[in-house]
Amino acid sequence: MGQDGPRHSRRRQLLGRLRRRLLAYRSIEFLPSRISGGTRPDEECLLLVHIRKVVGQVRYRLCDQCEEGVITDVTLEERFRSTGLGTRALSHLRSRHPGVRWRSTLNLRSTRDLLRRMSIPATDAACLCSHRGEPGLRLPRP
C-alpha cells in the first residue's frame, strides 16, 4: 500500500474517469433552446442532455449584424467535469454558428482554462456591440 491507497482503488478511479469520458462523448445530445423569462430577451442556450436529463448548458448571445457572439455562462454537472464535455460543447456551438467571433464574459476559475484552450478571449460584461453601441442584441435576420 502506497500513499494513494491500494492499487485496485486507483484502477477504479481511472476506469470511472474513462467511463465518464466515454459517456460524455457517446450519450450526450446538444439541443438549442431559447431562454424564456431570462435576464435578457436575446439570450440563447445550448442544452447538454443525457437520457432526458439536462446535465449542462452554455448560455450565449448572438448579434447577426456584426457576427459576434458572447458566452455568458457554462455549467456542467460535477460528474462531467474533466471529461472534455465543455470543449465538445463549445466546438459544437462554433460549428452551429460558423463565421461568428466568440468572446466571453466569464472569469471563473472553472471556465477560464476551458476558454483559454478554445481561444475565446474574455471581455467586460458591459462590453458593447460594435455596430450599435449597445449591449449585444440578437437582431432578427431579414
Side-chain angles (χ1 to χ4, degrees):
M1 281 198 359
Q3 292 176 326
D4 296 331
R7 280 189 186 171
H8 64 275
S9 123
R10 285 182 298 209
R11 184 176 295 142
R12 251 187 256 139
Q13 289 173 352
L14 181 63
L15 288 174
R17 192 173 0 187
L18 182 61
R19 189 176 300 120
R20 285 190 303 275
R21 193 177 218 34
L22 286 171
L23 181 68
Y25 276 84
R26 295 175 99 197
S27 305
I28 302 294
E29 290 183 73
F30 298 106
L31 303 174
S33 175
R34 289 277 186 173
I35 300 174
S36 58
T39 57
R40 296 182 55 108
D42 61 330
E43 197 166 37
E44 296 182 43
C45 186
L46 180 68
L47 298 175
L48 288 65
V49 179
H50 175 253
I51 310 175
R52 297 183 303 176
K53 180 183 177 200
V54 175
V55 295
Q57 63 179 345
V58 178
R59 289 181 179 232
Y60 60 96
R61 296 188 311 259
L62 288 175
C63 177
D64 291 334
Q65 192 168 358
C66 64
E67 296 293 320
E68 290 183 0
V70 179
I71 297 170
T72 58
D73 189 26
V74 177
T75 308
L76 291 174
E77 273 189 8
E78 185 67 36
R79 68 182 172 142
F80 288 104
R81 293 194 181 147
S82 299
T83 61
L85 185 57
T87 302
R88 187 169 171 233
L90 293 182
S91 295
H92 182 82
L93 192 61
R94 279 184 167 166
S95 70
R96 282 185 48 84
H97 303 285
V100 172
R101 288 184 316 265
W102 290 98
R103 49 196 170 99
S104 173
T105 59
L106 300 174
N107 196 18
L108 301 172
R109 184 176 171 192
S110 59
T111 56
R112 194 176 6 205
D113 292 336
L114 170 64
L115 296 170
R116 189 177 304 132
R117 276 194 311 273
M118 297 296 295
S119 300
I120 298 175
T123 186
D124 185 20
C127 190
L128 304 177
C129 193
S130 62
H131 74 281
R132 297 192 66 183
E134 297 178 8
L137 299 173
R138 180 170 178 88
L139 301 173
R141 292 184 183 208

